[in-house]
Amino acid sequence: MKKLYLITGATGHLGSVLLERLREKKENIRVLVLPGEESLIPDDVQYVTGDVRDADSLVPFFDRNGFDCVTLFHCAAIITILSNNNPALWDVNVNGTKNILQKAFETNVEKVIYVNSVHGIPEKPFPDVITESDVFSPDLVTGEYAKSKAEAATVALDYAAKGLNLVMVHPSGIIGPGDKYNNNFSVRTVKAMYNGQIPFIIKGGYDFVDVRDVVEGMLLCEEKGKPGESYILNGDYISIEKLMEITCALQNKKPKKLMIPEGIVKIIAPINEWCSSHFGNKKPLLTKYSIQTLHANGFFSHAKATNELGYHPRSIADSVRDTALEGN
């Protein structure tokens, strides 16, 4: 049986690590890339130039001629911590997902692994542990990114109800090596701490997971994931203070202890975001939405993925180490 793997978002952090994992396994792979990204794809990987927002451009991507079985990994998304309302966010995350799943449905793709986010899951008050849900709504989450992923989750479940063999995964904050183009906010934060570029700490924290573990979880979903089900692929919760301790310990340095009060941080964050968008080219690490996230309930459970798939993430300390040391 000749098998083909389709990947969207293959130039992003998660998609590129997934691509390398499938290349290691010598699989037949085809990726969808935006115009201008063709040179980023390895020579031994077939690519189709297109855009998830343009349904017509997806036709050659889903051409299954010569293949008996097709698995699709839909990773493409806009991930942002910015507070402004970006129309492209909904166009890619919601309408783009609808286009991709419609083509998968029309071409009888045998298995779809759709990457959503823990941000799309309805929020719960601390200290309740957040688990998988089968009800999604933008009204149940905070922030434009989270709302777009909640809406996209409803799209995915609609296609599963139509008969598409779809499994949805919800990664937490992804870190780990392989972020080739420095676009991952969480990775940039860890590296900035390691390089001494963050002179203070703030209260709060979040759940982070290694990109390599998310990839393995996705591959386990292909093998064992049940149609219409969703699985949280998280690692572990870590406070900002503990994150600073780990990154400093890698260089035998004393961790910074200056704690900025929450009230001041809430004033600084939107100012920092505004200044970055108007006077600089660097993407800000401190924004209104990132602070909301760090102060929200960040406790998730991967018990379902562990019990049904055999998912076992590595220690958060190992992931932080490998993230910080890459390129240093």
Side-chain angles (χ1 to χ4, degrees):
M1 182 175 67
K2 194 174 182 181
K3 189 171 187 177
L4 174 66
Y5 285 93
L6 303 177
I7 305 175
T8 69
T11 59
H13 188 191
L14 176 60
S16 62
V17 174
L18 170 64
L19 174 59
E20 291 306 313
R21 184 73 179 88
L22 292 175
R23 287 180 71 208
E24 291 172 2
K25 298 175 67 175
K26 308 297 183 183
E27 302 288 359
N28 298 302
I29 310 165
R30 182 188 300 150
V31 302
L32 181 72
V33 296
L34 290 167
E37 291 185 340
E38 294 88 349
S39 63
L40 305 179
I41 303 302
D43 292 338
D44 61 337
V45 175
Q46 182 187 9
Y47 67 81
V48 169
T49 303
D51 191 321
V52 296
R53 296 170 291 184
D54 180 1
D56 291 339
S57 74
L58 303 178
V59 173
F61 178 62
F62 281 95
D63 180 9
R64 58 182 298 150
N65 186 36
F67 293 96
D68 305 301
C69 181
V70 177
T71 293
L72 165 68
F73 290 101
H74 179 37
C75 308
I78 291 179
I79 303 171
T80 181
I81 60 167
L82 298 179
S83 305
N84 62 312
N85 187 1
N86 179 5
L89 182 70
W90 286 77
D91 208 11
V92 170
N93 293 359
V94 180
N95 296 332
T97 294
K98 188 179 297 184
N99 288 337
I100 286 289
L101 298 186
Q102 177 61 30
K103 290 299 180 185
F105 184 74
E106 292 173 356
T107 57
N108 299 311
V109 168
E110 276 74 16
K111 190 88 179 237
V112 177
I113 313 300
Y114 165 53
V115 181
N116 195 265
S117 168
V118 293
H119 289 274
I121 302 174
E123 297 168 0
K124 291 183 179 180
F126 178 85
D128 292 350
V129 176
I130 299 172
T131 56
E132 290 81 0
S133 175
D134 55 7
V135 176
F136 297 90
S137 170
D139 296 333
L140 301 177
V141 294
T142 303
E144 288 302 308
Y145 170 67
K147 291 179 183 298
S148 74
K149 295 303 269 187
E151 184 67 23
T154 65
V155 171
L157 292 184
D158 285 346
Y159 275 94
K162 292 179 182 178
L164 185 63
N165 186 3
L166 178 145
V167 180
M168 181 161 53
V169 297
H170 300 278
S172 57
I174 293 177
I175 59 174
D179 182 27
K180 298 178 182 178
Y181 308 108
N182 198 33
N183 288 321
N184 186 322
F185 159 75
S186 300
V187 169
R188 287 190 292 118
T189 300
V190 172
K191 290 187 175 182
M193 281 188 173
Y194 177 82
N195 292 321
Q197 297 168 342
I198 298 180
F200 56 85
I201 55 177
I202 59 178
K203 287 185 178 180
Y206 203 63
D207 188 299
F208 295 100
V209 63
D210 196 293
V211 65
R212 296 165 293 187
D213 293 327
V214 177
V215 166
E216 292 307 314
M218 293 165 66
L219 294 175
L220 286 169
C221 278
E222 183 203 5
E223 179 186 354
K224 303 178 182 179
K226 300 174 182 177
E229 292 293 325
S230 63
Y231 299 90
I232 290 175
L233 302 179
N234 69 305
D236 202 359
Y237 180 91
I238 184 170
S239 68
I240 296 301
E241 185 173 13
K242 183 64 176 178
L243 190 59
M244 179 70 80
E245 289 178 5
I246 294 175
T247 55
C248 289
L250 292 171
Q251 301 182 81
N252 295 316
K253 293 181 179 179
K254 291 184 178 180
K256 295 176 175 64
K257 293 295 185 179
L258 176 60
M259 176 76 75
I260 303 297
E262 183 176 338
I264 294 178
V265 172
K266 288 183 177 180
I267 295 173
I268 293 174
I271 296 174
N272 177 68
E273 184 175 355
W274 187 88
C275 290
S276 296
S277 64
H278 286 78
F279 302 111
N281 295 321
K282 290 187 177 180
K283 297 178 181 178
L285 295 176
L286 198 64
T287 68
K288 181 180 177 181
Y289 183 55
S290 69
I291 296 304
Q292 288 175 338
T293 300
L294 293 175
H295 291 161
N297 184 358
F299 293 92
F300 302 92
S301 170
H302 55 73
K304 180 179 178 181
T306 297
N307 294 334
E308 295 187 12
L309 306 176
Y311 170 76
H312 295 283
R314 69 199 72 202
S315 75
I316 189 67
D318 287 348
S319 295
V320 171
R321 178 199 65 211
D322 293 349
T323 305
L325 296 181
E326 185 183 34
N328 287 300

